[in-house]
Each structure stands twice: as C-alpha cells, then as structure tokens.
Amino acid sequence: MYQTTQNQQYQQQQQSIKRMSTKELNYLSDNMKNEDLLAKLCVQGAVECQNTQLRNAFESMAQEHVQSYQQLLSTLQQQG
Amino acid sequence: MYQQPMNQQFNQQQMNQQQMNQPRINQQQGMQQPYGMQSYGGQQNNAMQAPVHDQTQQQQAKLQDQDLANFVLSELKRVAREYTTAALEASNPIIRRTFESQLHKTLQMQEQLYQVMKEQNMYGAMTSASQQDIHKEIQNHAEQANKLQSFMMQNLGGQQGGYQAAQSFRQPPQVAAINQDYGMNQSPYSMHQGQQQTYARPSIDLDTQQDRNNSNQQQQYQSPQHSLYQSAAKGSEFNTTGSRQTSSHATGAESDEADHQKEEKTHSNLSHSKYMM
C-alpha cells in the first residue's frame, strides 16, 4: 500500500522532470544557435587573425563552443 | 609580436580570403544581432581599399584582428546574458544546471579573450576610480551599514545571531585599518574589494575571531540573518535604491548570498529526493 503510493509519486516526479516548458525549449534552441554562431566566428578568427595569441585563443574557444553546443544538445535529448 | 615583416603575397591572400568570408559572416550576423553588423560592416570597407604600404597593411590587419576580437567579445557578453536569463527562468533543475555551467564557461572564455586583447593593446585602458570617490563611498556605506544594523536590532534585538552580527558591523577591524593607511595603498580596487568583503560576509569575521569550533552557534547565526533579510526586504524603510548599483552595499551582497544559499539548498534537495533517476 505504502509502496504503491511511493511508486506513483516517483512516477509523477519522473514525468514532471521529463516535461520541458516551451520557454526552456526556446532558450535551449536559442543558446544552441548562439554557440553555433560563436564557434563559426571563432573558426574564422583562428583562420584569419595574424596575431598569434589571438589566433590561439580563437582556436581553443572554437573547440569549447562546439563542446557547449554538444552539451546543450545532449540536455535537450535527455530532457525532451 | 606579429608586426614582423610579412610576405606580401601571404597578406594579399589573407585579404582575398577575408573578402570572401565576410559576406558569410554578415549573413549569420544579420539573423542574430542587427546592431553587431554595423561595427563589422564598417570594417569591411576598410578591407576593400587596396593597401599601398606594408605598414598600412599591417595596421589594417591589426584593425581587422581587433574588430573581429571585439565582435566575438561582445557576442560572448551577449551570450552570457542570455544564459543568465535562461538559467533564471528555467524550472527544470537539470536544465538550469546546464545553463549555469554554460554561463560559467562563457564567462571564463570572455575573460580569457579580454586578457589576450589587453595584452595586445587592443582594448582601451580603463581609468581607475579616484581615491576621493572611493573614500566617500566607503564612508557612505559604513554609515548605511550602521543604519541597517540598528534596523536589525530594532526588529530582532533579542536574538543572539542578530546581536553578534551587529557587533561585527559596528566594529569592522579591516575597515579601520583601511581608513588608517588610506592613500598608502596603491591599488584602490583591491582595497575597495576588501571593504566589500568585510561587509558582505560578517560570518567570516565571526568564525575566525570568536566561535570557530562552535558550529551550532554558526547555524543559529545564519538563520536569523536570512529571515532578517526577508523581513527587511518587505519593509519600506529598507533603502536599497541607488546604492545597489555601486555594489558595495552590504545588504545587496548579503541578500544575494542568502538567496543563493537557499537556491542551492532547494535544488540539492530536489535533486536528491525527487529528481534522482
């Protein structure tokens, strides 16, 4: 008896955690767009910049933005 | 330094590449952020002019680097703001955590890029605040802190925690020290920060000076502080307007911390009890 109510509660919580609000979805997709743009910009900077330090910074940043993108995407896949 | 003589052909190649690449970027930018286009578009015209001397070419190259770096920097700032909004408005704790960690990463990247730009003299030097202004702020806020303290005493005078916090506000030892060798310190910023910390975290003073071993008392101390903030926030006498912006206001810093602790607690509770998968 107690077990079943607990189970139900657990299921409800599971459902509520799975549910994603439209706001969250919008923010996720907006931020993924941002990361995409920034990654591309950083690649451009890494290719074009004549200043070595800047170029290195852009290179590492491009990688990080791709990672961020992937992380947001995986969050979307897990929570959606 | 990148100012070493460069192969002219290489430069020419770079120019061509840039001209080819730029429309693509502008297109992307156009969808995202119309005002960013202006700064970048202006630079495109520069690239069109055929450079005559090697020196001007190099200057232009530096300008282009600078424009691009500034552009990325402003994008990073914008993205950080967007992550903040997203984190603030997310209800699912896992999604919120994601946004928070992304925000942290973005902030770090922005700092990194800014440091590089500063090293390359691509970012204008900032002017440090005048000692007079700082002194004025310190006095002003020390007064404010005392007022806040008497407000606390009025509302929770009997409680131990309130009383102890009052003591640490009344006699902040670091502030006295700062006021004494005022003008001797070469870094006004760090001095200001020191001041801020003595006000923002009275509990640290307490811990180190009095009751390090007594964790029970510490807890007693923290909870009235929080409830005080809530009651204070409701009260109309509570004067936060204007001084919040200058960020050294004791209540501003304190309430943020208290709020954060609360958030942290609720979220860790959620993730432990309900949201474990």
Side-chain angles (χ1 to χ4, degrees):
Chain A
M1 182 64 186
Y2 179 69
Q3 195 79 24
T4 47
T5 46
Q6 231 184 8
N7 253 343
Q8 274 178 351
Q9 262 184 358
Y10 182 72
Q11 277 176 356
Q12 278 174 357
Q13 277 151 11
Q14 281 290 337
Q15 276 177 353
S16 72
I17 199 177
K18 284 282 178 196
R19 217 180 294 137
M20 184 187 283
S21 67
T22 48
K23 227 179 202 178
E24 285 164 340
L25 183 62
N26 284 341
Y27 279 132
L28 274 174
S29 89
D30 276 0
N31 282 314
M32 269 157 59
K33 265 186 224 160
N34 284 335
E35 294 294 344
D36 180 74
L37 170 74
L38 267 170
K40 283 169 184 166
L41 273 177
C42 288
V43 168
Q44 197 205 4
V47 171
E48 280 175 16
C49 273
Q50 318 219 338
N51 185 319
T52 341
Q53 268 106 331
L54 260 183
R55 214 185 310 154
N56 291 341
F58 277 135
E59 251 174 56
S60 69
M61 272 200 292
Q63 296 292 338
E64 283 185 76
H65 285 304
V66 173
Q67 275 175 21
S68 296
Y69 187 93
Q70 232 111 45
Q71 206 173 334
L72 289 170
L73 184 63
S74 71
T75 308
L76 179 62
Q77 283 163 345
Q78 279 164 21
Q79 301 299 314
Chain B
M1 286 293 278
Y2 87 107
Q3 297 249 354
Q4 280 153 2
M6 261 180 244
N7 194 332
Q8 194 154 356
Q9 236 177 4
F10 175 72
N11 264 355
Q12 207 63 50
Q13 226 174 6
Q14 291 275 323
M15 283 295 179
N16 289 339
Q17 205 174 20
Q18 208 144 34
Q19 280 170 16
M20 272 162 52
N21 279 341
Q22 250 154 10
R24 180 171 57 100
I25 286 301
N26 274 345
Q27 226 173 14
Q28 286 167 353
Q29 184 57 15
M31 293 187 294
Q32 295 275 336
Q33 187 196 25
Y35 64 82
M37 264 174 83
Q38 293 169 350
S39 65
Y40 208 72
Q43 185 241 326
Q44 198 178 8
N45 292 336
N46 279 348
M48 293 300 192
Q49 292 165 6
V52 190
H53 300 297
D54 225 34
Q55 212 182 3
T56 50
Q57 211 171 30
Q58 277 184 358
Q59 267 178 355
Q60 278 195 347
K62 182 169 179 173
L63 265 180
Q64 277 162 10
D65 284 7
Q66 197 175 345
D67 281 352
L68 191 56
N70 266 319
F71 180 34
V72 173
L73 194 74
S74 67
E75 278 296 293
L76 281 171
K77 283 176 171 178
R78 185 181 65 85
V79 169
R81 260 177 243 126
E82 236 163 84
Y83 274 133
T84 310
T85 323
L88 286 168
E89 292 179 16
S91 72
N92 181 330
I94 294 174
I95 294 178
R96 192 186 159 112
R97 288 282 161 278
T98 311
F99 285 141
E100 281 173 11
S101 70
Q102 297 302 329
L103 169 65
H104 191 66
K105 249 171 94 178
T106 311
L107 288 174
Q108 278 180 330
M109 274 191 270
Q110 194 266 346
E111 187 192 9
Q112 204 184 331
L113 182 60
Y114 171 69
Q115 292 299 340
V116 173
M117 285 172 74
K118 210 173 78 178
E119 279 165 28
Q120 311 297 318
N121 294 323
M122 286 182 175
Y123 209 92
M126 66 197 89
T127 52
S128 50
S130 83
Q131 295 280 315
Q132 216 180 5
D133 287 353
I134 295 167
H135 196 195
K136 215 170 74 187
E137 282 301 301
I138 289 173
Q139 285 200 326
N140 182 15
H141 286 295
E143 228 168 85
Q144 284 288 328
N146 277 335
K147 273 184 199 161
L148 169 69
Q149 214 40 63
S150 49
F151 175 79
M152 274 170 82
M153 294 287 278
Q154 272 171 21
N155 285 278
L156 355 110
Q159 288 183 40
Q160 204 183 9
Y163 177 70
Q164 284 195 352
Q167 288 302 307
S168 89
F169 267 117
R170 284 272 154 78
Q171 300 174 321
Q174 283 94 331
V175 176
I178 285 166
N179 280 338
Q180 266 180 5
D181 60 19
Y182 191 69
M184 304 291 277
N185 201 324
Q186 287 189 337
S187 160
Y189 180 67
S190 67
M191 198 169 79
H192 201 59
Q193 277 221 324
Q195 165 84 359
Q196 195 176 342
Q197 274 183 353
T198 46
Y199 278 173
R201 299 165 178 270
S203 57
I204 288 173
D205 279 8
L206 284 176
D207 288 345
T208 49
Q209 285 172 6
Q210 294 169 19
D211 305 309
R212 177 152 244 167
N213 299 327
N214 198 344
S215 61
N216 192 21
Q217 202 161 10
Q218 197 184 349
Q219 277 192 336
Q220 273 183 343
Y221 165 68
Q222 278 194 348
S223 53
Q225 191 185 26
H226 189 87
S227 64
L228 169 91
Y229 163 66
Q230 286 185 334
S231 66
K234 281 172 201 156
S236 55
E237 291 175 316
F238 200 65
N239 180 18
T240 49
T241 40
S243 41
R244 272 213 169 192
Q245 292 294 322
T246 53
S247 88
S248 71
H249 197 275
T251 40
E254 211 170 82
S255 65
D256 283 347
E257 201 185 327
D259 271 354
H260 190 69
Q261 276 176 354
K262 190 180 153 201
E263 272 302 310
E264 207 64 15
K265 217 168 114 189
T266 42
H267 275 296
S268 63
N269 276 349
L270 288 179
S271 58
H272 279 304
S273 57
K274 294 185 200 162
Y275 292 98
M276 269 320 223
M277 290 211 278

